[in-house]
Amino acid sequence: FIAKSTEFYNWLPAEFTSTLDNIILNLSTSMVRLLNSIVGGTVSTVISLPQALVSIIITILATYFISSDRDKIYNFFRAQFPDKVTDKALSIKNDIFSALFGYLRAQLILISITFAELFIGLTIIGVRYSLLLAFITSIVDALPVLGTGTILVPWALYNIITGNLRLGVSLLILYVIILVVRQLIEPKIVSKQIGVYPLVTLTAIYAGLRIFGVWGLILGPVIVLVIKNIVKGALKGRPLKDIFNKPE
């Protein structure tokens, strides 16, 4: 078999065999690099396993001790500071957690709206399994790095390239509608749930996106929320000018 293959290989044109040699050489080089990466990654993983195991054990033990001695830890810190300071800190903490849960509620509302839009739109277009596809796409839309465009845009482009122009254009129109609706309602819904003015929420989302990237879409409103609750606790409902005006 090897002799017949060699004879056939020598019979081929020189230009073809030269190209084939280059392909085989590049393929072998890529395989060697891939194997080196796999071996290196395996070695690094094996080396880091003991450290990861220790970290997991310490985390579990620390969580257990903090949970079991929660009242002792709370009483210790409360005894170190005046009651006014601890009361303010607890009030700010409660407000922050309340607003954070409100932010999560806002995201669930947005996911539900996106799901309804997708289900109705895909059903009108005539896509099979519209309920399942709407559910999967709405879950992907909740992830900051992705969004509905991660599924709808490639799907639409594929159908346009393969000749199904009607389905491709319909999917692009559906994506634009979902994008516009989300951009219009997201600041209002988030602001209502976390108690921040819609314009401030919109500014926080934009600033977070510019500073932290896609994760800033979440971090921006959260940071504004923390600052709002700290300032609210410090001012005690008074206007800001009272801090600068000294009593006569």
Side-chain angles (χ1 to χ4, degrees):
F1 177 76
I2 294 175
K4 289 288 186 180
S5 300
T6 304
E7 182 180 353
F8 176 74
Y9 182 79
N10 292 330
W11 174 80
L12 293 172
E15 295 82 3
F16 180 81
T17 55
S18 176
T19 304
L20 185 60
D21 289 340
N22 291 331
I23 293 174
I24 295 174
L25 179 61
N26 292 332
L27 182 61
S28 61
T29 303
S30 300
M31 290 297 296
V32 170
R33 290 177 180 173
L34 178 61
L35 290 174
N36 287 335
S37 300
I38 293 174
V39 172
T42 304
V43 172
S44 299
T45 303
V46 172
I47 293 174
S48 61
L49 278 177
Q51 181 179 357
L53 183 61
V54 171
S55 300
I56 292 173
I57 292 174
I58 291 176
T59 302
I60 294 174
L61 291 176
T63 303
Y64 169 74
F65 288 129
I66 291 174
S67 300
S68 61
D69 296 334
R70 178 179 177 274
D71 293 336
K72 293 181 180 179
I73 296 172
Y74 171 77
N75 293 330
F76 170 78
F77 281 104
R78 191 172 182 87
Q80 310 307 313
F81 300 98
D83 291 339
K84 291 183 179 180
V85 175
T86 54
D87 290 340
K88 287 181 183 178
L90 289 174
S91 177
I92 292 173
K93 184 205 74 171
N94 293 333
D95 290 341
I96 290 174
F97 275 100
S98 175
L100 287 177
F101 283 118
Y103 184 83
L104 293 178
R105 285 196 301 268
Q107 294 303 317
L108 289 175
I109 293 172
L110 291 172
I111 292 173
S112 301
I113 294 174
T114 302
F115 170 76
E117 292 173 329
L118 284 166
F119 177 63
I120 295 172
L122 293 176
T123 303
I124 293 174
I125 294 172
V127 177
R128 296 178 61 187
Y129 311 111
S130 58
L131 182 64
L132 177 61
L133 291 172
F135 176 75
I136 295 174
T137 308
S138 61
I139 295 300
V140 173
D141 184 53
L143 303 176
V145 182
L146 303 177
T148 53
T150 307
I151 294 179
L152 293 182
V153 172
W155 187 8
L157 293 178
Y158 171 78
N159 282 279
I160 292 174
I161 293 173
T162 55
N164 195 346
L165 187 62
R166 175 185 171 277
L167 179 58
V169 173
S170 299
L171 290 172
L172 287 177
I173 294 174
L174 178 60
Y175 169 66
V176 172
I177 293 173
I178 292 173
L179 184 64
V180 171
V181 170
R182 186 178 180 88
Q183 295 301 319
L184 290 175
I185 67 175
E186 182 175 11
K188 186 173 183 60
I189 291 177
V190 173
S191 64
K192 183 178 180 180
Q193 294 297 323
I194 68 177
V196 179
Y197 189 67
L199 181 59
V200 177
T201 304
L202 181 63
T203 305
I205 292 174
Y206 178 75
L209 178 64
R210 298 294 296 177
I211 297 173
F212 302 107
V214 290
W215 291 107
L217 297 174
I218 298 176
L219 292 176
V222 171
I223 292 174
V224 169
L225 180 63
V226 172
I227 295 174
K228 170 184 173 288
N229 284 277
I230 291 175
V231 173
K232 179 182 176 182
L235 293 178
K236 302 178 186 178
R238 298 175 300 168
L240 189 62
K241 64 180 181 180
D242 288 353
I243 297 178
F244 302 98
N245 292 335
K246 295 182 180 180
E248 297 180 358

